[in-house]
PDB file of all heavy atoms in Angstrom:
ATOM      1  N   THR A 535      75.494  -5.674 -71.906  1.00 98.00           N
ATOM      2  CA  THR A 535      75.863  -4.874 -73.079  1.00 98.00           C
ATOM      3  C   THR A 535      77.089  -5.539 -73.722  1.00 98.00           C
ATOM      4  O   THR A 535      77.688  -6.477 -73.174  1.00 98.00           O
ATOM      5  CB  THR A 535      76.277  -3.408 -72.618  1.00 98.00           C
ATOM      6  OG1 THR A 535      76.435  -2.645 -73.807  1.00 98.00           O
ATOM      7  CG2 THR A 535      77.592  -3.402 -71.839  1.00 98.00           C
ATOM      8  N   ILE A 536      77.362  -5.217 -74.921  1.00 98.00           N
ATOM      9  CA  ILE A 536      78.629  -5.654 -75.596  1.00 98.00           C
ATOM     10  C   ILE A 536      79.576  -4.452 -75.565  1.00 98.00           C
ATOM     11  O   ILE A 536      79.137  -3.324 -75.757  1.00 98.00           O
ATOM     12  CB  ILE A 536      78.313  -6.152 -77.014  1.00 98.00           C
ATOM     13  CG1 ILE A 536      79.619  -6.839 -77.539  1.00 98.00           C
ATOM     14  CG2 ILE A 536      77.872  -5.009 -77.930  1.00 98.00           C
ATOM     15  CD1 ILE A 536      79.412  -7.657 -78.816  1.00 98.00           C
ATOM     16  N   ASP A 537      80.840  -4.745 -75.319  1.00 98.00           N
ATOM     17  CA  ASP A 537      81.777  -3.654 -75.183  1.00 98.00           C
ATOM     18  C   ASP A 537      83.188  -4.138 -75.554  1.00 98.00           C
ATOM     19  O   ASP A 537      83.445  -5.387 -75.577  1.00 98.00           O
ATOM     20  CB  ASP A 537      81.795  -3.062 -73.805  1.00 98.00           C
ATOM     21  CG  ASP A 537      82.329  -1.676 -73.739  1.00 98.00           C
ATOM     22  OD1 ASP A 537      82.707  -1.112 -74.733  1.00 98.00           O
ATOM     23  OD2 ASP A 537      82.376  -1.086 -72.613  1.00 98.00           O
ATOM     24  N   GLU A 538      84.072  -3.217 -75.707  1.00 98.00           N
ATOM     25  CA  GLU A 538      85.508  -3.521 -75.792  1.00 98.00           C
ATOM     26  C   GLU A 538      86.034  -3.709 -74.417  1.00 98.00           C
ATOM     27  O   GLU A 538      85.690  -3.005 -73.524  1.00 98.00           O
ATOM     28  CB  GLU A 538      86.262  -2.344 -76.514  1.00 98.00           C
ATOM     29  CG  GLU A 538      85.711  -2.156 -77.970  1.00 98.00           C
ATOM     30  CD  GLU A 538      86.495  -0.998 -78.611  1.00 98.00           C
ATOM     31  OE1 GLU A 538      87.605  -0.700 -78.275  1.00 98.00           O
ATOM     32  OE2 GLU A 538      85.885  -0.465 -79.518  1.00 98.00           O
ATOM     33  N   VAL A 539      86.867  -4.756 -74.195  1.00 98.00           N
ATOM     34  CA  VAL A 539      87.449  -5.050 -72.903  1.00 98.00           C
ATOM     35  C   VAL A 539      88.913  -5.228 -73.042  1.00 98.00           C
ATOM     36  O   VAL A 539      89.433  -5.701 -74.014  1.00 98.00           O
ATOM     37  CB  VAL A 539      86.825  -6.370 -72.264  1.00 98.00           C
ATOM     38  CG1 VAL A 539      85.381  -6.144 -71.944  1.00 98.00           C
ATOM     39  CG2 VAL A 539      86.947  -7.548 -73.225  1.00 98.00           C
ATOM     40  N   VAL A 540      89.655  -4.711 -72.023  1.00 98.00           N
ATOM     41  CA  VAL A 540      91.102  -4.781 -72.006  1.00 98.00           C
ATOM     42  C   VAL A 540      91.525  -6.164 -71.415  1.00 98.00           C
ATOM     43  O   VAL A 540      90.981  -6.594 -70.406  1.00 98.00           O
ATOM     44  CB  VAL A 540      91.666  -3.622 -71.192  1.00 98.00           C
ATOM     45  CG1 VAL A 540      93.177  -3.745 -71.044  1.00 98.00           C
ATOM     46  CG2 VAL A 540      91.262  -2.271 -71.768  1.00 98.00           C
ATOM     47  N   PHE A 541      92.500  -6.728 -72.063  1.00 98.00           N
ATOM     48  CA  PHE A 541      93.164  -7.969 -71.489  1.00 98.00           C
ATOM     49  C   PHE A 541      94.118  -7.549 -70.402  1.00 98.00           C
ATOM     50  O   PHE A 541      95.287  -7.192 -70.673  1.00 98.00           O
ATOM     51  CB  PHE A 541      93.907  -8.732 -72.621  1.00 98.00           C
ATOM     52  CG  PHE A 541      93.010  -9.492 -73.536  1.00 98.00           C
ATOM     53  CD1 PHE A 541      92.206  -8.853 -74.470  1.00 98.00           C
ATOM     54  CD2 PHE A 541      92.976 -10.874 -73.459  1.00 98.00           C
ATOM     55  CE1 PHE A 541      91.410  -9.570 -75.344  1.00 98.00           C
ATOM     56  CE2 PHE A 541      92.216 -11.611 -74.332  1.00 98.00           C
ATOM     57  CZ  PHE A 541      91.428 -10.992 -75.266  1.00 98.00           C
ATOM     58  N   ALA A 542      93.588  -7.449 -69.175  1.00 98.00           N
ATOM     59  CA  ALA A 542      94.429  -7.021 -68.058  1.00 98.00           C
ATOM     60  C   ALA A 542      95.562  -8.045 -67.759  1.00 98.00           C
ATOM     61  O   ALA A 542      95.373  -9.227 -67.898  1.00 98.00           O
ATOM     62  CB  ALA A 542      93.586  -6.848 -66.799  1.00 98.00           C
ATOM     63  N   GLU A 543      96.729  -7.551 -67.390  1.00 98.00           N
ATOM     64  CA  GLU A 543      97.853  -8.386 -67.100  1.00 98.00           C
ATOM     65  C   GLU A 543      98.024  -8.494 -65.581  1.00 98.00           C
ATOM     66  O   GLU A 543      97.421  -7.688 -64.846  1.00 98.00           O
ATOM     67  CB  GLU A 543      99.093  -7.802 -67.713  1.00 98.00           C
ATOM     68  CG  GLU A 543      99.089  -7.781 -69.225  1.00 98.00           C
ATOM     69  CD  GLU A 543     100.339  -7.157 -69.887  1.00 98.00           C
ATOM     70  OE1 GLU A 543     101.256  -6.819 -69.147  1.00 98.00           O
ATOM     71  OE2 GLU A 543     100.339  -7.132 -71.139  1.00 98.00           O
ATOM     72  N   PRO A 544      98.769  -9.492 -65.141  1.00 97.00           N
ATOM     73  CA  PRO A 544      98.976  -9.606 -63.714  1.00 97.00           C
ATOM     74  C   PRO A 544      99.426  -8.297 -63.103  1.00 97.00           C
ATOM     75  O   PRO A 544     100.287  -7.630 -63.617  1.00 97.00           O
ATOM     76  CB  PRO A 544     100.049 -10.695 -63.544  1.00 97.00           C
ATOM     77  CG  PRO A 544      99.855 -11.542 -64.797  1.00 97.00           C
ATOM     78  CD  PRO A 544      99.466 -10.570 -65.834  1.00 97.00           C
ATOM     79  N   GLY A 545      98.837  -7.888 -62.035  1.00 95.00           N
ATOM     80  CA  GLY A 545      99.169  -6.632 -61.340  1.00 95.00           C
ATOM     81  C   GLY A 545      98.216  -5.561 -61.691  1.00 95.00           C
ATOM     82  O   GLY A 545      98.118  -4.500 -61.002  1.00 95.00           O
ATOM     83  N   ASP A 546      97.502  -5.660 -62.859  1.00 96.00           N
ATOM     84  CA  ASP A 546      96.557  -4.655 -63.238  1.00 96.00           C
ATOM     85  C   ASP A 546      95.246  -4.745 -62.352  1.00 96.00           C
ATOM     86  O   ASP A 546      94.895  -5.859 -61.941  1.00 96.00           O
ATOM     87  CB  ASP A 546      96.107  -4.815 -64.663  1.00 96.00           C
ATOM     88  CG  ASP A 546      97.168  -4.515 -65.674  1.00 96.00           C
ATOM     89  OD1 ASP A 546      98.154  -3.860 -65.344  1.00 96.00           O
ATOM     90  OD2 ASP A 546      97.032  -4.924 -66.860  1.00 96.00           O
ATOM     91  N   GLN A 547      94.577  -3.647 -62.133  1.00 96.00           N
ATOM     92  CA  GLN A 547      93.321  -3.608 -61.505  1.00 96.00           C
ATOM     93  C   GLN A 547      92.264  -4.210 -62.378  1.00 96.00           C
ATOM     94  O   GLN A 547      92.301  -4.026 -63.645  1.00 96.00           O
ATOM     95  CB  GLN A 547      92.893  -2.195 -61.149  1.00 96.00           C
ATOM     96  CG  GLN A 547      93.715  -1.559 -60.101  1.00 96.00           C
ATOM     97  CD  GLN A 547      92.948  -1.405 -58.758  1.00 96.00           C
ATOM     98  OE1 GLN A 547      91.883  -1.909 -58.628  1.00 96.00           O
ATOM     99  NE2 GLN A 547      93.568  -0.725 -57.890  1.00 96.00           N
ATOM    100  N   VAL A 548      91.299  -4.912 -61.838  1.00 98.00           N
ATOM    101  CA  VAL A 548      90.113  -5.380 -62.571  1.00 98.00           C
ATOM    102  C   VAL A 548      89.069  -4.224 -62.454  1.00 98.00           C
ATOM    103  O   VAL A 548      88.704  -3.866 -61.307  1.00 98.00           O
ATOM    104  CB  VAL A 548      89.567  -6.742 -61.997  1.00 98.00           C
ATOM    105  CG1 VAL A 548      88.292  -7.167 -62.777  1.00 98.00           C
ATOM    106  CG2 VAL A 548      90.645  -7.741 -62.025  1.00 98.00           C
ATOM    107  N   LEU A 549      88.671  -3.695 -63.569  1.00 98.00           N
ATOM    108  CA  LEU A 549      87.845  -2.471 -63.543  1.00 98.00           C
ATOM    109  C   LEU A 549      86.594  -2.629 -64.383  1.00 98.00           C
ATOM    110  O   LEU A 549      86.562  -3.274 -65.435  1.00 98.00           O
ATOM    111  CB  LEU A 549      88.605  -1.301 -64.145  1.00 98.00           C
ATOM    112  CG  LEU A 549      90.020  -0.961 -63.514  1.00 98.00           C
ATOM    113  CD1 LEU A 549      90.680   0.124 -64.365  1.00 98.00           C
ATOM    114  CD2 LEU A 549      89.815  -0.441 -62.087  1.00 98.00           C
ATOM    115  N   LEU A 550      85.541  -2.002 -63.925  1.00 98.00           N
ATOM    116  CA  LEU A 550      84.289  -1.862 -64.668  1.00 98.00           C
ATOM    117  C   LEU A 550      84.249  -0.401 -65.043  1.00 98.00           C
ATOM    118  O   LEU A 550      84.076   0.443 -64.225  1.00 98.00           O
ATOM    119  CB  LEU A 550      83.079  -2.272 -63.884  1.00 98.00           C
ATOM    120  CG  LEU A 550      81.794  -2.389 -64.611  1.00 98.00           C
ATOM    121  CD1 LEU A 550      81.833  -3.494 -65.655  1.00 98.00           C
ATOM    122  CD2 LEU A 550      80.612  -2.564 -63.658  1.00 98.00           C
ATOM    123  N   GLY A 551      84.478  -0.090 -66.326  1.00 97.00           N
ATOM    124  CA  GLY A 551      84.710   1.272 -66.779  1.00 97.00           C
ATOM    125  C   GLY A 551      83.436   1.996 -67.237  1.00 97.00           C
ATOM    126  O   GLY A 551      82.382   1.430 -67.345  1.00 97.00           O
ATOM    127  N   ALA A 552      83.613   3.276 -67.550  1.00 97.00           N
ATOM    128  CA  ALA A 552      82.542   4.184 -67.930  1.00 97.00           C
ATOM    129  C   ALA A 552      81.767   3.732 -69.113  1.00 97.00           C
ATOM    130  O   ALA A 552      80.553   3.875 -69.177  1.00 97.00           O
ATOM    131  CB  ALA A 552      83.064   5.596 -68.037  1.00 97.00           C
ATOM    132  N   ARG A 553      82.461   3.270 -70.154  1.00 97.00           N
ATOM    133  CA  ARG A 553      81.788   2.842 -71.379  1.00 97.00           C
ATOM    134  C   ARG A 553      80.810   1.715 -71.115  1.00 97.00           C
ATOM    135  O   ARG A 553      79.723   1.672 -71.596  1.00 97.00           O
ATOM    136  CB  ARG A 553      82.761   2.420 -72.473  1.00 97.00           C
ATOM    137  CG  ARG A 553      83.535   3.571 -73.047  1.00 97.00           C
ATOM    138  CD  ARG A 553      84.641   3.133 -73.960  1.00 97.00           C
ATOM    139  NE  ARG A 553      84.287   1.978 -74.799  1.00 97.00           N
ATOM    140  CZ  ARG A 553      84.603   1.825 -76.056  1.00 97.00           C
ATOM    141  NH1 ARG A 553      85.371   2.762 -76.671  1.00 97.00           N
ATOM    142  NH2 ARG A 553      84.265   0.810 -76.757  1.00 97.00           N
ATOM    143  N   THR A 554      81.263   0.725 -70.348  1.00 98.00           N
ATOM    144  CA  THR A 554      80.472  -0.451 -70.008  1.00 98.00           C
ATOM    145  C   THR A 554      79.242   0.034 -69.161  1.00 98.00           C
ATOM    146  O   THR A 554      78.095  -0.380 -69.379  1.00 98.00           O
ATOM    147  CB  THR A 554      81.267  -1.470 -69.263  1.00 98.00           C
ATOM    148  OG1 THR A 554      82.322  -1.909 -70.088  1.00 98.00           O
ATOM    149  CG2 THR A 554      80.369  -2.665 -68.893  1.00 98.00           C
ATOM    150  N   LEU A 555      79.500   0.907 -68.147  1.00 98.00           N
ATOM    151  CA  LEU A 555      78.420   1.424 -67.339  1.00 98.00           C
ATOM    152  C   LEU A 555      77.322   2.097 -68.145  1.00 98.00           C
ATOM    153  O   LEU A 555      76.113   1.875 -67.966  1.00 98.00           O
ATOM    154  CB  LEU A 555      78.938   2.356 -66.255  1.00 98.00           C
ATOM    155  CG  LEU A 555      79.799   1.714 -65.155  1.00 98.00           C
ATOM    156  CD1 LEU A 555      80.408   2.779 -64.310  1.00 98.00           C
ATOM    157  CD2 LEU A 555      78.976   0.745 -64.325  1.00 98.00           C
ATOM    158  N   GLU A 556      77.811   2.857 -69.136  1.00 97.00           N
ATOM    159  CA  GLU A 556      76.845   3.543 -70.027  1.00 97.00           C
ATOM    160  C   GLU A 556      76.029   2.560 -70.854  1.00 97.00           C
ATOM    161  O   GLU A 556      74.814   2.633 -70.992  1.00 97.00           O
ATOM    162  CB  GLU A 556      77.523   4.486 -70.942  1.00 97.00           C
ATOM    163  CG  GLU A 556      76.601   5.391 -71.751  1.00 97.00           C
ATOM    164  CD  GLU A 556      77.278   6.541 -72.463  1.00 97.00           C
ATOM    165  OE1 GLU A 556      78.248   7.062 -71.935  1.00 97.00           O
ATOM    166  OE2 GLU A 556      76.790   6.859 -73.584  1.00 97.00           O
ATOM    167  N   GLY A 557      76.724   1.533 -71.396  1.00 97.00           N
ATOM    168  CA  GLY A 557      76.048   0.522 -72.150  1.00 97.00           C
ATOM    169  C   GLY A 557      75.073  -0.334 -71.326  1.00 97.00           C
ATOM    170  O   GLY A 557      74.032  -0.744 -71.808  1.00 97.00           O
ATOM    171  N   LEU A 558      75.378  -0.545 -70.087  1.00 98.00           N
ATOM    172  CA  LEU A 558      74.525  -1.219 -69.118  1.00 98.00           C
ATOM    173  C   LEU A 558      73.332  -0.414 -68.708  1.00 98.00           C
ATOM    174  O   LEU A 558      72.427  -0.910 -68.136  1.00 98.00           O
ATOM    175  CB  LEU A 558      75.285  -1.689 -67.888  1.00 98.00           C
ATOM    176  CG  LEU A 558      76.376  -2.765 -68.130  1.00 98.00           C
ATOM    177  CD1 LEU A 558      77.277  -2.854 -66.885  1.00 98.00           C
ATOM    178  CD2 LEU A 558      75.765  -4.092 -68.461  1.00 98.00           C
ATOM    179  N   ASN A 559      73.416   0.910 -68.939  1.00 98.00           N
ATOM    180  CA  ASN A 559      72.442   1.879 -68.494  1.00 98.00           C
ATOM    181  C   ASN A 559      72.348   1.947 -67.017  1.00 98.00           C
ATOM    182  O   ASN A 559      71.293   1.933 -66.428  1.00 98.00           O
ATOM    183  CB  ASN A 559      71.062   1.698 -69.171  1.00 98.00           C
ATOM    184  CG  ASN A 559      70.178   2.920 -68.979  1.00 98.00           C
ATOM    185  OD1 ASN A 559      70.658   4.072 -68.988  1.00 98.00           O
ATOM    186  ND2 ASN A 559      68.910   2.699 -68.844  1.00 98.00           N
ATOM    187  N   LEU A 560      73.500   1.817 -66.389  1.00 98.00           N
ATOM    188  CA  LEU A 560      73.626   1.895 -64.907  1.00 98.00           C
ATOM    189  C   LEU A 560      74.430   3.127 -64.503  1.00 98.00           C
ATOM    190  O   LEU A 560      75.273   3.576 -65.291  1.00 98.00           O
ATOM    191  CB  LEU A 560      74.320   0.673 -64.353  1.00 98.00           C
ATOM    192  CG  LEU A 560      73.621  -0.714 -64.562  1.00 98.00           C
ATOM    193  CD1 LEU A 560      74.514  -1.835 -64.124  1.00 98.00           C
ATOM    194  CD2 LEU A 560      72.244  -0.707 -63.882  1.00 98.00           C
ATOM    195  N   THR A 561      74.136   3.631 -63.333  1.00 96.00           N
ATOM    196  CA  THR A 561      74.868   4.814 -62.817  1.00 96.00           C
ATOM    197  C   THR A 561      75.269   4.490 -61.358  1.00 96.00           C
ATOM    198  O   THR A 561      74.726   3.616 -60.698  1.00 96.00           O
ATOM    199  CB  THR A 561      74.019   6.081 -62.924  1.00 96.00           C
ATOM    200  OG1 THR A 561      74.853   7.237 -62.640  1.00 96.00           O
ATOM    201  CG2 THR A 561      72.816   6.074 -61.968  1.00 96.00           C
ATOM    202  N   VAL A 562      76.244   5.268 -60.870  1.00 96.00           N
ATOM    203  CA  VAL A 562      76.702   5.061 -59.525  1.00 96.00           C
ATOM    204  C   VAL A 562      75.863   5.843 -58.512  1.00 96.00           C
ATOM    205  O   VAL A 562      75.592   6.992 -58.650  1.00 96.00           O
ATOM    206  CB  VAL A 562      78.160   5.534 -59.425  1.00 96.00           C
ATOM    207  CG1 VAL A 562      78.656   5.508 -58.034  1.00 96.00           C
ATOM    208  CG2 VAL A 562      79.056   4.697 -60.322  1.00 96.00           C
ATOM    209  N   ASP A 563      75.392   5.102 -57.504  1.00 95.00           N
ATOM    210  CA  ASP A 563      74.740   5.735 -56.331  1.00 95.00           C
ATOM    211  C   ASP A 563      75.893   5.781 -55.322  1.00 95.00           C
ATOM    212  O   ASP A 563      76.157   4.769 -54.631  1.00 95.00           O
ATOM    213  CB  ASP A 563      73.624   4.844 -55.855  1.00 95.00           C
ATOM    214  CG  ASP A 563      72.923   5.474 -54.609  1.00 95.00           C
ATOM    215  OD1 ASP A 563      73.582   6.182 -53.839  1.00 95.00           O
ATOM    216  OD2 ASP A 563      71.696   5.214 -54.423  1.00 95.00           O
ATOM    217  N   SER A 564      76.507   6.931 -55.201  1.00 91.00           N
ATOM    218  CA  SER A 564      77.724   7.062 -54.332  1.00 91.00           C
ATOM    219  C   SER A 564      77.369   6.937 -52.887  1.00 91.00           C
ATOM    220  O   SER A 564      78.170   6.442 -52.104  1.00 91.00           O
ATOM    221  CB  SER A 564      78.497   8.289 -54.615  1.00 91.00           C
ATOM    222  OG  SER A 564      77.687   9.427 -54.489  1.00 91.00           O
ATOM    223  N   ALA A 565      76.223   7.415 -52.487  1.00 93.00           N
ATOM    224  CA  ALA A 565      75.810   7.341 -51.040  1.00 93.00           C
ATOM    225  C   ALA A 565      75.669   5.882 -50.575  1.00 93.00           C
ATOM    226  O   ALA A 565      76.062   5.534 -49.499  1.00 93.00           O
ATOM    227  CB  ALA A 565      74.512   8.079 -50.824  1.00 93.00           C
ATOM    228  N   ARG A 566      75.091   5.043 -51.453  1.00 95.00           N
ATOM    229  CA  ARG A 566      74.849   3.646 -51.044  1.00 95.00           C
ATOM    230  C   ARG A 566      75.921   2.693 -51.621  1.00 95.00           C
ATOM    231  O   ARG A 566      75.861   1.486 -51.426  1.00 95.00           O
ATOM    232  CB  ARG A 566      73.470   3.228 -51.544  1.00 95.00           C
ATOM    233  CG  ARG A 566      72.401   3.942 -50.861  1.00 95.00           C
ATOM    234  CD  ARG A 566      70.994   3.429 -51.143  1.00 95.00           C
ATOM    235  NE  ARG A 566      70.696   3.583 -52.584  1.00 95.00           N
ATOM    236  CZ  ARG A 566      69.672   2.985 -53.203  1.00 95.00           C
ATOM    237  NH1 ARG A 566      68.836   2.230 -52.541  1.00 95.00           N
ATOM    238  NH2 ARG A 566      69.419   3.192 -54.451  1.00 95.00           N
ATOM    239  N   LYS A 567      76.868   3.305 -52.388  1.00 94.00           N
ATOM    240  CA  LYS A 567      77.988   2.465 -52.974  1.00 94.00           C
ATOM    241  C   LYS A 567      77.459   1.239 -53.742  1.00 94.00           C
ATOM    242  O   LYS A 567      77.743   0.147 -53.427  1.00 94.00           O
ATOM    243  CB  LYS A 567      78.999   2.039 -51.923  1.00 94.00           C
ATOM    244  CG  LYS A 567      79.729   3.221 -51.355  1.00 94.00           C
ATOM    245  CD  LYS A 567      80.854   2.792 -50.488  1.00 94.00           C
ATOM    246  CE  LYS A 567      81.649   3.961 -49.991  1.00 94.00           C
ATOM    247  NZ  LYS A 567      82.846   3.644 -49.281  1.00 94.00           N
ATOM    248  N   LYS A 568      76.576   1.590 -54.710  1.00 95.00           N
ATOM    249  CA  LYS A 568      76.017   0.493 -55.601  1.00 95.00           C
ATOM    250  C   LYS A 568      75.673   1.072 -56.923  1.00 95.00           C
ATOM    251  O   LYS A 568      75.566   2.315 -57.124  1.00 95.00           O
ATOM    252  CB  LYS A 568      74.842  -0.159 -54.893  1.00 95.00           C
ATOM    253  CG  LYS A 568      73.646   0.712 -54.704  1.00 95.00           C
ATOM    254  CD  LYS A 568      72.519  -0.014 -53.909  1.00 95.00           C
ATOM    255  CE  LYS A 568      71.568  -0.584 -54.861  1.00 95.00           C
ATOM    256  NZ  LYS A 568      70.405  -1.205 -54.216  1.00 95.00           N
ATOM    257  N   LEU A 569      75.439   0.197 -57.883  1.00 97.00           N
ATOM    258  CA  LEU A 569      74.944   0.626 -59.180  1.00 97.00           C
ATOM    259  C   LEU A 569      73.438   0.531 -59.181  1.00 97.00           C
ATOM    260  O   LEU A 569      72.839  -0.354 -58.646  1.00 97.00           O
ATOM    261  CB  LEU A 569      75.570  -0.325 -60.264  1.00 97.00           C
ATOM    262  CG  LEU A 569      77.008  -0.280 -60.398  1.00 97.00           C
ATOM    263  CD1 LEU A 569      77.482  -1.345 -61.376  1.00 97.00           C
ATOM    264  CD2 LEU A 569      77.529   1.055 -60.809  1.00 97.00           C
TER     265      LEU A 569
END
């Protein structure tokens, strides 16, 4: 997908956020800990 991404600074977490997940058409399978 194409999305807006934050320029994380040192010390920031590297995150895959909700907007990107929606654009990728992926969801969280919490039991198996995977997309």
